[in-house]
Amino acid sequence: KQEVTQIPAALSVPEGENLVLNCSFTDSAIYNLQWFRQDPGKGLTSLLLIQSSQREQTSGRLNASLDKSSGRSTLYIAASQPGDSATYLCAVSQPGTYKYIFGTGTRLKVLA
Amino acid sequence: DVKVTQSSRYLVKRTGEKVFLECVQDMDHENMFWYRQDPGLGLRLIYFSYDVKMKEKGDIPEGYSVSREKKERFSLILESASTNQTSMYLCASSFGPYNRGRGPYTEAFFGQGTRLTVV
């Protein structure tokens, strides 16, 4: 059974820092991995999608990497800003199930 | 831009009421999902639909039903609302034909969420 874990559960950093969020999954047979952002009380916003054949994807200050063999993905945020404060979730899709399997999330606070 | 719109941001309903949560997407996506999100439990799939009038149960379908009469609209129905159904409900959609045994291989897009309180 696929399990997706995100560590740490919460993180506070000063503005301007570069930071890395981690996502681990137990079954490497995935189609893709997607990173989302969720602001308090709101829905999920898709940030990046990495297909299983890709190693990384970039969008602006965000860079996501995928190492399927080790069951890991990282989301790198460059030059963090207070507006980056949110909960970040990763999710995987895999053969045999139609659902996206979500991690527990990392709550990020960027201090001005 | 893909847009997934949920009909209400906040709802307050009484125990025993029949509740309808509506979701509309504007990108002609085949797949639509209803999740609920609770602190400490994360996102759990309630129902999935891969085509008009087609549905599959998720992890926690008890107490819920769904309707998909048109491709763009997916409704979640709470037959008789109970206090343990107080939660954040999230609708999602994705592109791609669904084949049994395969998983979703395209990007998922979510709505803004409906915070339902049952009193």
Coordinates of all heavy atoms in Angstrom, one line a residue, chain B residues 15-104:
Chain B
T15 N -28.6 18.8 11.1 CA -28.6 17.3 11.1 C -29.9 16.8 10.4 O -31.0 17.2 10.7 CB -28.5 16.8 12.5 OG1 -27.3 17.3 13.1 CG2 -28.5 15.3 12.5
G16 N -29.7 15.8 9.5 CA -30.8 15.1 8.9 C -31.2 15.8 7.5 O -32.0 15.2 6.8
E17 N -30.7 16.9 7.2 CA -31.0 17.6 6.0 C -30.3 16.9 4.8 O -29.2 16.2 5.0 CB -30.5 19.0 6.0 CG -31.4 20.0 6.5 CD -31.0 21.5 6.2 OE1 -31.2 21.9 5.1 OE2 -30.5 22.1 7.1
K18 N -30.9 16.9 3.6 CA -30.2 16.5 2.4 C -29.4 17.6 1.8 O -30.0 18.7 1.6 CB -31.3 16.0 1.4 CG -30.7 15.2 0.2 CD -31.8 14.5 -0.6 CE -31.2 13.6 -1.7 NZ -32.2 12.9 -2.4
V19 N -28.2 17.4 1.6 CA -27.3 18.5 1.2 C -26.7 18.2 -0.2 O -26.2 17.1 -0.4 CB -26.1 18.7 2.2 CG1 -25.2 19.8 1.8 CG2 -26.7 18.9 3.6
F20 N -26.6 19.2 -1.0 CA -26.0 19.1 -2.3 C -24.8 20.0 -2.4 O -24.9 21.2 -2.2 CB -27.1 19.5 -3.4 CG -28.2 18.6 -3.5 CD1 -29.3 18.7 -2.7 CD2 -28.3 17.5 -4.5 CE1 -30.4 17.9 -2.8 CE2 -29.3 16.7 -4.6 CZ -30.4 16.8 -3.7
L21 N -23.7 19.4 -2.8 CA -22.5 20.2 -3.1 C -22.2 20.1 -4.6 O -22.2 19.0 -5.2 CB -21.3 19.7 -2.3 CG -21.4 19.7 -0.8 CD1 -20.1 19.3 -0.2 CD2 -21.8 21.1 -0.3
E22 N -22.1 21.3 -5.3 CA -22.0 21.2 -6.7 C -20.6 21.6 -7.2 O -20.0 22.5 -6.5 CB -23.0 22.2 -7.4 CG -24.4 22.1 -6.9 CD -25.1 20.9 -7.6 OE1 -24.5 20.4 -8.6 OE2 -26.1 20.4 -7.1
C23 N -20.1 21.0 -8.2 CA -18.8 21.3 -8.8 C -18.9 21.4 -10.3 O -19.5 20.5 -10.9 CB -17.8 20.2 -8.3 SG -16.2 20.4 -9.0
V24 N -18.3 22.4 -10.9 CA -18.3 22.6 -12.3 C -16.9 22.8 -12.8 O -16.2 23.7 -12.2 CB -19.2 23.7 -12.8 CG1 -19.2 23.9 -14.3 CG2 -20.7 23.5 -12.3
Q25 N -16.5 22.2 -13.9 CA -15.2 22.4 -14.5 C -15.4 22.8 -15.9 O -16.3 22.4 -16.6 CB -14.2 21.2 -14.3 CG -14.8 19.9 -14.8 CD -14.6 19.5 -16.2 OE1 -13.8 20.2 -17.0 NE2 -15.1 18.4 -16.6
D26 N -14.5 23.7 -16.4 CA -14.7 24.3 -17.7 C -13.7 23.8 -18.8 O -13.5 24.4 -19.8 CB -14.7 25.8 -17.6 CG -13.3 26.3 -17.2 OD1 -12.4 25.5 -17.0 OD2 -13.1 27.6 -17.2
M27 N -13.0 22.7 -18.5 CA -11.9 22.2 -19.4 C -12.2 20.9 -20.1 O -11.4 20.2 -20.6 CB -10.6 22.1 -18.7 CG -9.9 23.5 -18.5 SD -9.6 24.3 -20.0 CE -8.3 23.3 -20.7
D28 N -13.5 20.5 -20.1 CA -13.9 19.3 -20.8 C -13.1 18.0 -20.2 O -12.8 17.1 -21.0 CB -13.7 19.4 -22.3 CG -14.5 18.5 -23.1 OD1 -15.7 18.2 -22.7 OD2 -14.1 18.0 -24.2
H29 N -12.8 18.0 -18.9 CA -12.1 16.9 -18.3 C -13.0 15.7 -18.2 O -14.2 15.8 -17.8 CB -11.6 17.3 -17.0 CG -10.4 18.2 -17.0 ND1 -9.8 18.8 -15.9 CD2 -9.6 18.5 -18.1 CE1 -8.7 19.5 -16.3 NE2 -8.6 19.3 -17.6
E30 N -12.5 14.5 -18.4 CA -13.2 13.3 -18.2 C -13.4 13.0 -16.7 O -14.4 12.5 -16.3 CB -12.5 12.1 -18.9 CG -12.6 12.1 -20.4 CD -11.5 13.0 -21.1 OE1 -10.7 13.6 -20.4 OE2 -11.5 13.0 -22.3
N31 N -12.3 13.2 -16.0 CA -12.3 12.7 -14.6 C -12.7 13.8 -13.6 O -12.2 14.9 -13.7 CB -10.9 12.2 -14.2 CG -10.4 11.1 -15.2 OD1 -11.2 10.2 -15.6 ND2 -9.2 11.3 -15.6
M32 N -13.5 13.4 -12.6 CA -13.9 14.3 -11.6 C -13.9 13.6 -10.2 O -14.2 12.4 -10.2 CB -15.2 15.1 -11.8 CG -15.2 15.9 -13.1 SD -16.6 17.0 -13.3 CE -16.3 18.3 -12.0
F33 N -13.5 14.3 -9.2 CA -13.3 13.7 -7.9 C -13.9 14.5 -6.8 O -14.0 15.7 -6.9 CB -11.8 13.6 -7.5 CG -10.9 12.9 -8.6 CD1 -10.5 13.6 -9.7 CD2 -10.4 11.7 -8.4 CE1 -9.7 13.1 -10.7 CE2 -9.6 11.1 -9.3 CZ -9.2 11.8 -10.5
W34 N -14.4 13.8 -5.7 CA -14.7 14.5 -4.5 C -13.9 14.0 -3.4 O -13.8 12.7 -3.1 CB -16.2 14.3 -4.1 CG -17.1 15.3 -4.8 CD1 -18.0 15.1 -5.8 CD2 -17.3 16.7 -4.5 NE1 -18.6 16.2 -6.2 CE2 -18.2 17.2 -5.3 CE3 -16.7 17.5 -3.5 CZ2 -18.6 18.6 -5.3 CZ3 -17.1 18.8 -3.5 CH2 -18.1 19.4 -4.3
Y35 N -13.2 14.9 -2.7 CA -12.4 14.5 -1.5 C -13.0 15.3 -0.3 O -13.5 16.4 -0.5 CB -10.9 15.0 -1.7 CG -10.1 14.1 -2.6 CD1 -10.0 14.4 -3.9 CD2 -9.2 13.2 -2.0 CE1 -9.2 13.6 -4.8 CE2 -8.4 12.4 -2.9 CZ -8.4 12.6 -4.2 OH -7.6 11.9 -5.0
R36 N -12.7 14.8 0.9 CA -12.9 15.6 2.1 C -11.5 15.7 2.8 O -10.7 14.7 2.7 CB -14.0 15.0 3.0 CG -13.8 13.7 3.6 CD -14.9 13.3 4.6 NE -14.8 14.0 5.9 CZ -15.7 13.9 6.9 NH1 -16.8 13.1 6.7 NH2 -15.5 14.5 8.0
Q37 N -11.4 16.8 3.5 CA -10.1 17.0 4.2 C -10.4 17.4 5.6 O -11.1 18.3 5.9 CB -9.4 18.2 3.5 CG -8.0 18.5 4.1 CD -7.3 19.6 3.4 OE1 -8.0 20.6 2.9 NE2 -6.0 19.6 3.3
D38 N -9.7 16.6 6.5 CA -9.9 16.8 7.9 C -8.5 16.8 8.6 O -7.6 16.1 8.2 CB -10.7 15.6 8.5 CG -12.1 15.5 7.9 OD1 -12.9 16.4 8.2 OD2 -12.3 14.6 7.1
P39 N -8.4 17.7 9.7 CA -7.1 17.8 10.4 C -6.7 16.4 10.9 O -7.4 15.7 11.5 CB -7.4 18.7 11.5 CG -8.6 19.5 11.1 CD -9.4 18.6 10.2
G40 N -5.4 16.1 10.6 CA -4.9 14.8 11.1 C -5.2 13.6 10.2 O -4.6 12.6 10.3
L41 N -6.1 13.8 9.3 CA -6.5 12.7 8.4 C -6.2 12.9 7.0 O -6.2 12.0 6.1 CB -8.0 12.4 8.5 CG -8.5 11.9 9.9 CD1 -10.0 11.8 9.9 CD2 -7.9 10.6 10.3
G42 N -5.9 14.2 6.6 CA -5.5 14.5 5.3 C -6.7 14.5 4.3 O -7.8 14.6 4.7
L43 N -6.4 14.3 3.1 CA -7.4 14.2 2.0 C -7.8 12.7 1.8 O -7.0 11.9 1.6 CB -6.9 14.8 0.7 CG -7.0 16.3 0.6 CD1 -5.7 16.9 1.1 CD2 -7.2 16.7 -0.9
R44 N -9.1 12.5 1.8 CA -9.6 11.2 1.6 C -10.6 11.2 0.5 O -11.5 12.1 0.4 CB -10.3 10.6 2.9 CG -9.3 10.4 4.0 CD -10.0 9.9 5.3 NE -10.8 10.9 5.9 CZ -11.7 10.7 6.8 NH1 -11.9 9.5 7.3 NH2 -12.4 11.7 7.3
L45 N -10.5 10.3 -0.5 CA -11.4 10.2 -1.6 C -12.8 9.7 -1.3 O -12.9 8.6 -0.7 CB -10.8 9.4 -2.7 CG -11.5 9.3 -4.0 CD1 -11.6 10.7 -4.7 CD2 -10.9 8.3 -5.0
I46 N -13.8 10.4 -1.6 CA -15.2 10.0 -1.4 C -15.7 9.2 -2.6 O -16.2 8.1 -2.5 CB -16.1 11.1 -1.1 CG1 -15.5 11.9 0.1 CG2 -17.5 10.6 -0.7 CD1 -16.3 13.3 0.3
Y47 N -15.7 9.9 -3.8 CA -16.1 9.3 -5.0 C -15.3 9.8 -6.2 O -14.8 10.9 -6.1 CB -17.6 9.6 -5.3 CG -18.6 8.6 -4.8 CD1 -19.3 8.8 -3.6 CD2 -18.9 7.5 -5.5 CE1 -20.2 7.9 -3.1 CE2 -19.8 6.5 -5.1 CZ -20.5 6.8 -3.8 OH -21.4 5.8 -3.4
F48 N -15.3 9.1 -7.2 CA -14.6 9.4 -8.5 C -15.6 9.1 -9.6 O -16.3 8.2 -9.6 CB -13.3 8.6 -8.6 CG -12.8 8.4 -10.0 CD1 -12.2 9.6 -10.6 CD2 -12.7 7.2 -10.6 CE1 -11.7 9.4 -11.9 CE2 -12.1 7.1 -11.9 CZ -11.6 8.2 -12.5
S49 N -15.5 10.0 -10.7 CA -16.3 9.8 -11.9 C -15.4 9.9 -13.1 O -14.7 10.9 -13.2 CB -17.5 10.7 -12.0 OG -18.1 10.7 -13.2
Y50 N -15.5 8.9 -14.0 CA -14.6 9.0 -15.2 C -15.4 9.3 -16.5 O -14.8 9.3 -17.6 CB -13.8 7.7 -15.3 CG -14.6 6.4 -15.3 CD1 -15.0 5.9 -16.5 CD2 -14.9 5.8 -14.1 CE1 -15.8 4.7 -16.5 CE2 -15.7 4.6 -14.1 CZ -16.1 4.1 -15.3 OH -16.8 2.9 -15.3
D51 N -16.7 9.4 -16.3 CA -17.5 9.8 -17.5 C -18.9 10.1 -17.0 O -19.3 9.8 -15.9 CB -17.5 8.6 -18.5 CG -17.9 9.0 -19.9 OD1 -18.3 10.1 -20.1 OD2 -17.8 8.1 -20.8
V52 N -19.7 10.6 -17.9 CA -21.1 10.9 -17.6 C -21.8 9.7 -17.1 O -21.6 8.6 -17.7 CB -21.8 11.5 -18.8 CG1 -23.3 11.7 -18.5 CG2 -21.2 12.9 -19.2
K53 N -22.5 9.8 -16.0 CA -23.2 8.7 -15.3 C -22.4 7.5 -14.8 O -22.9 6.6 -14.3 CB -24.3 8.1 -16.3 CG -25.3 9.1 -16.7 CD -26.5 8.5 -17.4 CE -27.5 9.5 -18.0 NZ -28.2 10.2 -16.9
M54 N -21.0 7.7 -14.9 CA -20.1 6.6 -14.4 C -19.5 7.1 -13.1 O -19.1 8.2 -13.0 CB -19.1 6.3 -15.4 CG -19.6 5.9 -16.8 SD -20.8 4.6 -16.7 CE -19.8 3.2 -16.3
K55 N -19.4 6.2 -12.1 CA -18.8 6.6 -10.8 C -18.1 5.3 -10.2 O -18.5 4.2 -10.5 CB -19.9 7.1 -9.9 CG -21.0 6.0 -9.6 CD -22.1 6.6 -8.8 CE -23.2 5.6 -8.5 NZ -24.4 6.1 -7.9
E56 N -17.2 5.6 -9.3 CA -16.5 4.6 -8.5 C -16.5 5.1 -7.1 O -16.2 6.3 -6.8 CB -15.1 4.4 -9.0 CG -15.0 3.9 -10.5 CD -15.0 2.3 -10.5 OE1 -15.1 1.7 -9.5 OE2 -15.0 1.8 -11.7
K57 N -16.7 4.2 -6.2 CA -16.5 4.5 -4.8 C -15.1 4.7 -4.4 O -14.2 4.0 -4.9 CB -17.1 3.4 -3.9 CG -18.6 3.3 -4.0 CD -19.1 2.2 -3.1 CE -20.6 2.1 -3.2 NZ -21.2 1.0 -2.3
G58 N -14.9 5.7 -3.5 CA -13.5 5.9 -3.0 C -13.3 5.2 -1.7 O -13.9 4.2 -1.5
D59 N -12.6 5.8 -0.8 CA -12.3 5.2 0.5 C -13.4 5.4 1.5 O -13.5 4.5 2.4 CB -11.0 5.8 1.0 CG -9.8 5.6 0.1 OD1 -9.7 4.4 -0.4 OD2 -9.0 6.5 -0.1
I60 N -14.2 6.4 1.4 CA -15.2 6.7 2.4 C -16.5 7.1 1.8 O -17.0 8.2 2.1 CB -14.7 7.8 3.4 CG1 -14.1 9.0 2.6 CG2 -13.6 7.3 4.3 CD1 -14.0 10.3 3.5
P61 N -17.2 6.2 1.1 CA -18.4 6.6 0.4 C -19.7 6.6 1.3 O -20.7 7.1 0.9 CB -18.5 5.6 -0.7 CG -17.9 4.4 -0.1 CD -16.7 4.9 0.7
E62 N -19.5 6.0 2.4 CA -20.7 5.8 3.3 C -21.3 7.1 3.6 O -20.7 8.1 4.1 CB -20.4 5.0 4.6 CG -19.8 3.6 4.3 CD -18.4 3.6 3.9 OE1 -17.7 4.6 4.1 OE2 -17.9 2.6 3.3
G63 N -22.7 7.2 3.5 CA -23.4 8.5 3.8 C -23.4 9.5 2.7 O -24.0 10.6 2.8
Y64 N -22.7 9.2 1.5 CA -22.7 10.1 0.4 C -23.2 9.4 -0.9 O -23.1 8.2 -1.0 CB -21.2 10.5 0.1 CG -20.5 11.2 1.3 CD1 -19.7 10.5 2.2 CD2 -20.7 12.6 1.5 CE1 -19.1 11.1 3.2 CE2 -20.0 13.2 2.5 CZ -19.2 12.4 3.4 OH -18.6 13.1 4.4
S65 N -23.6 10.1 -1.8 CA -23.9 9.7 -3.2 C -23.4 10.8 -4.1 O -23.1 11.9 -3.7 CB -25.3 9.3 -3.4 OG -26.2 10.4 -3.2
V66 N -23.3 10.5 -5.4 CA -22.9 11.4 -6.4 C -23.8 11.4 -7.6 O -24.5 10.4 -7.9 CB -21.4 11.2 -6.8 CG1 -20.5 11.6 -5.7 CG2 -21.2 9.8 -7.3
S67 N -23.7 12.4 -8.4 CA -24.5 12.5 -9.6 C -23.6 13.2 -10.7 O -23.0 14.2 -10.4 CB -25.8 13.3 -9.4 OG -26.4 13.5 -10.7
R68 N -23.6 12.6 -11.9 CA -22.9 13.2 -13.0 C -23.7 13.0 -14.2 O -23.6 12.1 -15.0 CB -21.5 12.7 -13.2 CG -20.7 13.6 -14.1 CD -19.2 13.3 -14.0 NE -18.5 14.2 -14.9 CZ -17.2 13.8 -15.3 NH1 -16.7 12.7 -15.0 NH2 -16.6 14.7 -16.2
E69 N -24.6 14.0 -14.5 CA -25.5 14.0 -15.6 C -24.9 14.7 -16.8 O -25.3 14.4 -18.0 CB -26.8 14.6 -15.2 CG -27.6 13.9 -14.1 CD -28.0 12.5 -14.5 OE1 -28.4 12.3 -15.7 OE2 -27.9 11.6 -13.7
K70 N -24.0 15.6 -16.6 CA -23.3 16.3 -17.6 C -21.8 16.2 -17.4 O -21.4 16.2 -16.2 CB -23.8 17.8 -17.7 CG -25.2 18.0 -18.1 CD -25.5 19.4 -18.3 CE -26.9 19.6 -18.8 NZ -27.3 21.0 -19.1
K71 N -21.0 16.3 -18.4 CA -19.6 16.1 -18.3 C -19.0 17.1 -17.4 O -18.0 16.8 -16.6 CB -18.9 16.1 -19.7 CG -17.5 15.7 -19.7 CD -17.0 15.6 -21.1 CE -15.6 15.1 -21.2 NZ -15.0 15.0 -22.5
E72 N -19.4 18.3 -17.4 CA -18.8 19.4 -16.7 C -19.2 19.5 -15.2 O -18.6 20.3 -14.5 CB -19.0 20.8 -17.4 CG -20.5 21.2 -17.3 CD -21.3 20.8 -18.5 OE1 -20.9 19.8 -19.2 OE2 -22.4 21.4 -18.7
R73 N -20.2 18.8 -14.8 CA -20.8 19.0 -13.5 C -20.8 17.7 -12.7 O -21.2 16.6 -13.2 CB -22.2 19.5 -13.6 CG -22.9 19.9 -12.3 CD -24.3 20.4 -12.6 NE -24.2 21.6 -13.4 CZ -24.2 22.8 -12.9 NH1 -24.2 23.0 -11.6 NH2 -24.2 23.9 -13.7
F74 N -20.3 17.8 -11.4 CA -20.2 16.6 -10.6 C -20.8 17.0 -9.2 O -20.2 17.9 -8.6 CB -18.8 16.1 -10.5 CG -18.6 14.7 -9.8 CD1 -19.5 13.7 -10.0 CD2 -17.4 14.5 -9.1 CE1 -19.3 12.5 -9.4 CE2 -17.2 13.2 -8.5 CZ -18.2 12.2 -8.7
S75 N -21.8 16.4 -8.8 CA -22.5 16.8 -7.5 C -22.3 15.7 -6.5 O -22.3 14.5 -6.7 CB -24.0 16.9 -7.8 OG -24.3 17.9 -8.8
L76 N -22.0 16.2 -5.3 CA -21.9 15.3 -4.1 C -23.2 15.5 -3.2 O -23.6 16.7 -3.0 CB -20.7 15.7 -3.3 CG -20.4 14.8 -2.0 CD1 -20.1 13.4 -2.4 CD2 -19.3 15.5 -1.2
I77 N -23.8 14.4 -2.8 CA -25.0 14.5 -2.1 C -24.9 13.8 -0.7 O -24.4 12.7 -0.7 CB -26.2 13.8 -2.9 CG1 -26.3 14.4 -4.3 CG2 -27.5 13.9 -2.1 CD1 -26.9 13.5 -5.3
L78 N -25.2 14.5 0.3 CA -25.2 14.0 1.6 C -26.7 13.6 1.9 O -27.5 14.5 2.0 CB -24.7 14.9 2.7 CG -23.2 15.2 2.7 CD1 -22.7 15.8 1.5 CD2 -22.8 16.0 4.0
E79 N -27.0 12.3 1.9 CA -28.4 11.9 2.0 C -29.1 12.4 3.2 O -30.3 12.8 3.2 CB -28.5 10.4 1.9 CG -27.9 9.8 0.6 CD -28.7 10.2 -0.6 OE1 -29.9 10.6 -0.5 OE2 -28.2 10.0 -1.8
S80 N -28.4 12.3 4.4 CA -29.0 12.8 5.6 C -27.8 13.3 6.5 O -27.1 12.5 7.1 CB -29.7 11.6 6.3 OG -30.2 12.0 7.6
A81 N -27.6 14.6 6.4 CA -26.4 15.1 7.0 C -26.2 14.8 8.5 O -27.2 14.8 9.3 CB -26.3 16.6 6.8
S82 N -25.0 14.5 8.9 CA -24.7 14.2 10.3 C -23.5 15.1 10.7 O -22.7 15.5 9.9 CB -24.4 12.7 10.5 OG -23.2 12.4 9.8
T83 N -23.4 15.2 12.0 CA -22.3 16.1 12.5 C -20.9 15.6 12.1 O -20.0 16.4 12.0 CB -22.4 16.3 14.0 OG1 -22.4 15.0 14.7 CG2 -23.7 17.0 14.4
N84 N -20.7 14.3 12.0 CA -19.4 13.8 11.6 C -19.1 14.0 10.1 O -18.0 13.6 9.6 CB -19.3 12.3 12.0 CG -20.2 11.4 11.2 OD1 -20.9 11.8 10.3 ND2 -20.3 10.2 11.7
Q85 N -20.0 14.7 9.4 CA -19.7 15.1 8.0 C -19.3 16.5 7.9 O -19.1 17.1 6.8 CB -21.0 14.8 7.1 CG -21.2 13.3 7.0 CD -22.4 13.0 6.1 OE1 -23.5 13.5 6.3 NE2 -22.2 12.1 5.1
T86 N -19.2 17.2 9.1 CA -18.6 18.5 9.1 C -17.2 18.4 8.6 O -16.4 17.7 9.2 CB -18.7 19.1 10.5 OG1 -20.0 19.4 10.9 CG2 -17.9 20.4 10.6
S87 N -16.8 19.2 7.6 CA -15.5 19.0 7.0 C -15.3 20.0 5.9 O -16.2 20.8 5.5 CB -15.4 17.6 6.4 OG -14.1 17.3 5.9
M88 N -14.1 20.0 5.3 CA -13.8 20.7 4.1 C -13.9 19.8 2.9 O -13.3 18.7 2.9 CB -12.4 21.3 4.1 CG -11.9 21.9 2.8 SD -12.8 23.4 2.3 CE -11.6 24.6 3.0
Y89 N -14.8 20.1 1.9 CA -15.0 19.3 0.8 C -14.3 19.9 -0.4 O -14.5 21.1 -0.7 CB -16.5 19.1 0.5 CG -17.1 18.2 1.6 CD1 -17.6 18.8 2.8 CD2 -17.2 16.8 1.4 CE1 -18.1 17.9 3.8 CE2 -17.7 16.0 2.4 CZ -18.2 16.6 3.6 OH -18.7 15.8 4.6
L90 N -13.5 19.1 -1.1 CA -12.7 19.5 -2.3 C -13.1 18.7 -3.5 O -13.1 17.5 -3.5 CB -11.2 19.4 -2.0 CG -10.7 20.3 -0.8 CD1 -9.4 19.8 -0.4 CD2 -10.6 21.7 -1.3
C91 N -13.4 19.5 -4.6 CA -13.7 18.8 -5.9 C -12.4 19.0 -6.7 O -11.7 20.0 -6.6 CB -14.9 19.5 -6.5 SG -15.2 19.0 -8.2
A92 N -12.2 18.0 -7.6 CA -11.0 18.1 -8.5 C -11.4 17.5 -9.8 O -12.4 16.7 -10.0 CB -9.8 17.3 -7.9
S93 N -10.7 17.9 -10.9 CA -10.9 17.3 -12.2 C -9.5 17.1 -12.8 O -8.5 17.7 -12.5 CB -11.7 18.2 -13.1 OG -11.0 19.3 -13.5
S94 N -9.5 16.1 -13.8 CA -8.3 15.9 -14.6 C -8.6 15.4 -15.9 O -9.7 14.8 -16.1 CB -7.3 14.9 -13.8 OG -7.9 13.6 -13.8
F95 N -7.7 15.6 -16.9 CA -7.9 15.1 -18.2 C -7.5 13.7 -18.4 O -6.6 13.2 -17.7 CB -7.1 16.0 -19.2 CG -7.1 15.6 -20.6 CD1 -8.3 15.7 -21.4 CD2 -6.0 15.0 -21.2 CE1 -8.3 15.3 -22.7 CE2 -6.0 14.5 -22.5 CZ -7.2 14.7 -23.2
G96 N -8.1 13.0 -19.3 CA -7.5 11.7 -19.7 C -8.6 10.6 -19.6 O -9.3 10.5 -18.6
P97 N -8.6 9.7 -20.6 CA -9.5 8.6 -20.5 C -9.1 7.6 -19.4 O -7.9 7.5 -19.1 CB -9.4 7.9 -21.9 CG -8.1 8.4 -22.4 CD -7.8 9.7 -21.8
Y98 N -10.1 7.0 -18.8 CA -9.8 6.1 -17.6 C -9.9 4.7 -18.1 O -10.9 4.3 -18.7 CB -10.8 6.4 -16.5 CG -10.8 5.4 -15.4 CD1 -9.7 5.2 -14.6 CD2 -11.9 4.6 -15.3 CE1 -9.8 4.3 -13.6 CE2 -11.9 3.6 -14.3 CZ -10.9 3.5 -13.4 OH -10.9 2.6 -12.4
N99 N -8.9 3.9 -17.8 CA -8.9 2.5 -18.1 C -8.8 1.7 -16.8 O -7.9 2.1 -16.0 CB -7.8 2.1 -19.0 CG -7.9 2.6 -20.4 OD1 -9.0 2.6 -21.0 ND2 -6.9 3.2 -20.9
R100 N -9.6 0.8 -16.5 CA -9.6 0.1 -15.3 C -8.2 -0.5 -15.1 O -7.6 -1.1 -16.1 CB -10.6 -1.0 -15.3 CG -12.0 -0.5 -15.1 CD -13.0 -1.6 -15.0 NE -14.3 -1.1 -14.9 CZ -14.9 -0.6 -13.9 NH1 -14.3 -0.7 -12.7 NH2 -16.1 -0.1 -13.9
G101 N -7.6 -0.4 -14.0 CA -6.3 -0.9 -13.7 C -5.2 0.1 -13.9 O -4.1 -0.1 -13.5
R102 N -5.5 1.2 -14.6 CA -4.6 2.3 -14.7 C -4.9 3.4 -13.7 O -6.0 3.5 -13.3 CB -4.6 2.9 -16.2 CG -4.1 1.9 -17.2 CD -3.8 2.6 -18.5 NE -2.7 3.5 -18.3 CZ -2.3 4.4 -19.2 NH1 -2.9 4.6 -20.3 NH2 -1.2 5.2 -18.9
G103 N -3.9 4.2 -13.5 CA -4.1 5.3 -12.6 C -4.2 6.6 -13.3 O -4.0 6.7 -14.6
P104 N -4.5 7.7 -12.7 CA -4.6 9.0 -13.3 C -3.2 9.5 -13.6 O -2.3 9.4 -12.8 CB -5.2 9.9 -12.3 CG -4.9 9.3 -11.0 CD -4.9 7.8 -11.2

